[in-house]
Amino acid sequence: MTFRYSHTFPISGPNKLPRFKQWAAENIPGVAVSLPPQVPVKSEALTVRLKSINDRNTLIGKLEGVSL
């Protein structure tokens, strides 16, 4: 199965990938995500790839009101 779906959300500051990985492990442990190898510090967004539309909807729901 491939990562066909994606979601881009705002995130700023350094260490975006480690911060998101920790958040995902704590809040959406059953959802498999594919992250880019690196994200520039100046970037204000992160795109996460997901396997299913249900995973995408779960991520969107959990990210509501969260500031990473």
Side-chain angles (χ1 to χ4, degrees):
M1 187 177 239
T2 60
F3 293 90
R4 293 182 173 188
Y5 301 91
S6 65
H7 181 63
T8 302
F9 58 93
I11 184 171
S12 61
N15 302 316
K16 291 172 187 65
L17 295 176
R19 284 189 291 144
F20 178 77
K21 285 179 187 178
Q22 180 181 359
W23 179 87
E26 294 170 0
N27 294 285
I28 52 171
V31 176
V33 297
S34 176
L35 299 171
Q38 60 186 0
V39 178
V41 172
K42 293 182 181 181
S43 175
E44 295 291 322
L46 176 63
T47 299
V48 178
R49 300 198 35 94
L50 303 123
K51 288 187 176 187
S52 73
I53 194 73
N54 290 334
D55 289 349
R56 183 178 183 272
N57 292 337
T58 300
L59 174 66
I60 290 169
K62 292 286 186 171
L63 279 174
E64 233 174 81
V66 172
S67 67
L68 293 172

